[in-house]
């Protein structure tokens, strides 16, 4: 009887002990007047990742990467029209599964790209 209970408990703990679904990796992207970091942004293809955009400046910016977002599967948050809008000092996150490729990102605000707000996203 005790052995049976022990076996049942063991079986239950094996069932419950199955690995939990993997947490998405995290990647912080700093945004300021006028730049992004890291440069380039490197991500693992097919792996869920939470991108957290931190606007450290008192001005608004965006992170526009239409091709990158169009080729990714977004699982939380959103990038309407392929861009993340950031108010002054705002932090915003999006979770997605990126597809392999090289993509461009920039801030679409007037002249910000020319002043340095341009980046590359390399997904391998
Ligand atoms: Cu900008």
């Amino acid at each position: 009887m005790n052995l049976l209970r022990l076996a049942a408990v063991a079986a239950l703990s094996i069932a419950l002990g199955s690995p939990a679904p993997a947490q998405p990796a995290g990647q912080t992207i700093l945004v300021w007047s006028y730049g992004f970091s890291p440069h380039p942004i490197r991500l693992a293809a097919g792996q869920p990742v939470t991108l957290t955009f931190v606007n450290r400046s008192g001005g608004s910016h965006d992170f526009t990467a239409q091709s990158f977002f169009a080729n990714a599967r977004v699982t939380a948050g959103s990038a309407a029209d392929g861009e993340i809008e950031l108010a002054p000092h705002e932090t915003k996150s999006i979770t997605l599964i990126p597809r392999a490729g090289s993509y461009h990102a920039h801030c679409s605000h007037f002249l910000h790209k020319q002043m340095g707000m341009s980046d590359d996203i390399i997904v391998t």
Side-chain angles (χ1 to χ4, degrees):
M1 202 57 154
N2 273 343
L3 259 180
L4 262 179
R5 276 184 66 166
L6 206 69
V9 167
L12 192 66
S13 61
I14 288 165
L16 294 176
S18 57
Q23 283 290 106
Q27 170 75 62
T28 299
I29 296 157
L30 300 179
V31 179
W32 68 90
S33 304
Y34 297 91
F36 297 113
S37 171
H39 191 146
I41 297 161
R42 293 181 189 276
L43 302 174
Q47 301 297 311
V49 63
T50 297
L51 305 176
T52 301
F53 296 88
V54 180
N55 183 3
R56 296 171 123 186
S57 81
S60 55
H61 294 288
D62 63 45
F63 183 90
T64 298
Q66 266 132 0
S67 176
F68 170 71
F69 288 118
N71 280 284
R73 188 156 74 82
V74 175
T75 59
S78 72
D81 300 322
E83 65 180 80
I84 307 274
E85 252 327 304
L86 296 160
H89 300 293
E90 187 179 23
T91 293
K92 220 179 242 182
S93 291
I94 186 170
T95 302
L96 51 76
I97 302 168
R99 183 181 293 174
S102 289
Y103 308 93
H104 291 292
H106 70 281
C107 175
S108 70
H109 290 211
F110 185 63
L111 289 178
H112 286 198
K113 180 182 176 181
Q114 289 78 354
M115 290 193 282
M117 298 194 76
S118 153
D119 208 342
D120 296 299
I121 307 166
I122 298 165
V123 184
T124 53

